[in-house]
Amino acid sequence: MDEKGEAGPAHEAGDDARGGGLASLLTLVLLVALFALTVRTFAFSLFTIPSESMMPRLMPGDTIAAKKWPYGYSSNSLPFDLPLIPGRWFAHQPQRGDIVIFKHPVDHTDYVKRVIGLPGDEVELRGGYVILNGQTLSQSATDDAIVPVTPNNPCGWGGREEARPAGGADCHYTRNREYLPSGVSYEVIDYGATGQDDWGPRTVPAGTMFLLGDNRDNSMDSRFPAVPGGGIGFVSQDKLVGQAGSILWSTDGSARWLDPESWFEALRDERTGQAL
């Protein structure tokens, strides 16, 4: 019997099977990658909040999903900001009160703020109150914002730290609810009298937005000139990335890389899944 002759076809069949399996796996990987890239480009992106500027609604350690479609698409919507889209396609202007993610006008890092003024609006601040087109935005006092003191969220200079009987501490901030003429409202934090409580009046230029942080006395926003790592000035709507959709998960900064159990202990369950 010619064993060598019989073994040849069997060997070739095995190679073909392995080659076909590898090709199928590579095809699956490419399809998954293409699907992820499509979602990342046209549907959602994830952003982690790094600072206290949008407290009390957003806190450091929140990871949020940004919806891409509400404002249209530009190169800022693409992964790695690839310059493949000229201008902005399917452009829509945001609404006053929207929480938006955008690229910093100078250093192109991701920022998140709230839209207060749109093109043609006259915006002014006096004594911490926003005056929009001559109308002072009313504020009503609410209970203090009580924020647990955590590694990524220490008590700010405008807060009052209070120890808990069972251990740990909370930071109490004076909180008000601000109302836009449209009826949209949101909570803001006030640290007291600061230099940025008075600004303007100025008219929002065409194609731009006037943006503020909800933590009014701890936010580098449109009240400050655009500089790397700092203020943003009036922001071009072409810099928009998306609209904040929901908090996917939130961590308090106590997790340790080499301790998987601490990853779960650091989760803020009460914030996970909140719509914005």
Side-chain angles (χ1 to χ4, degrees):
M1 179 181 294
D2 188 356
E3 295 181 358
K4 183 177 180 180
E6 292 180 357
H11 178 71
E12 292 173 3
D15 287 346
D16 290 344
R18 284 192 293 271
L22 179 60
S24 297
L25 177 61
L26 290 176
T27 300
L28 177 61
V29 170
L30 288 174
L31 288 174
V32 170
L34 181 60
F35 175 76
L37 180 63
T38 301
V39 171
R40 168 69 174 79
T41 302
F42 298 105
F44 296 98
S45 284
L46 304 186
F47 298 91
T48 299
I49 304 302
S51 74
E52 300 87 2
S53 70
M54 284 297 292
M55 286 188 356
R57 192 66 195 94
L58 293 173
M59 294 172 57
D62 288 348
T63 296
I64 64 174
K67 300 179 290 187
K68 292 292 193 72
W69 62 89
Y71 309 134
Y73 302 95
S74 70
S75 292
N76 295 314
S77 307
L78 299 176
F80 311 110
D81 306 332
L82 295 172
L84 302 178
I85 300 179
R88 195 155 59 103
W89 295 356
F90 312 110
H92 294 282
Q93 184 164 263
Q95 301 296 309
R96 299 178 189 88
D98 285 358
I99 299 176
V100 296
I101 293 89
F102 58 96
K103 296 293 183 180
H104 188 285
V106 179
D107 62 30
H108 309 296
T109 55
D110 295 322
Y111 268 49
V112 56
K113 302 292 180 188
R114 191 179 296 275
V115 178
I116 299 296
L118 294 172
D121 287 342
E122 184 183 76
V123 184
E124 181 179 3
L125 279 89
R126 288 290 172 263
Y129 286 89
V130 176
I131 304 172
L132 183 63
N133 297 322
Q135 178 180 346
T136 301
L137 302 188
S138 63
Q139 292 187 6
S140 61
T142 66
D143 294 338
D144 285 350
I146 302 176
V147 180
V149 177
T150 62
N152 65 2
N153 199 19
C155 195
W157 63 267
R160 305 179 305 281
E161 187 168 337
E162 296 184 7
R164 299 192 208 120
D170 293 316
C171 194
H172 293 243
Y173 295 97
T174 299
R175 174 173 55 180
N176 300 310
R177 179 165 289 276
E178 184 171 85
Y179 298 86
L180 288 167
S182 63
V184 172
S185 68
Y186 41 86
E187 294 174 337
V188 297
I189 286 178
D190 181 24
Y191 283 2
T194 61
Q196 58 263 39
D197 284 346
D198 297 295
W199 181 91
R202 292 184 63 184
T203 299
V204 182
T208 70
M209 308 166 286
F210 178 83
L211 308 173
L212 290 177
D214 291 346
N215 191 352
R216 291 289 164 78
D217 296 317
N218 192 15
S219 174
M220 298 299 291
D221 46 41
S222 289
R223 294 170 290 181
F224 301 91
V227 296
I232 56 177
F234 293 112
V235 177
S236 170
Q237 294 184 26
D238 287 342
K239 298 294 184 183
L240 284 166
V241 174
Q243 180 182 11
S246 62
I247 301 172
L248 296 184
W249 64 82
S250 182
T251 63
D252 63 15
S254 65
R256 299 175 296 278
W257 282 110
L258 299 180
D259 182 6
E261 185 177 349
S262 71
W263 305 347
F264 299 96
E265 293 173 348
L267 286 174
R268 300 182 181 118
D269 295 334
E270 72 281 2
R271 297 187 63 76
T272 300
Q274 290 185 8
L276 299 171

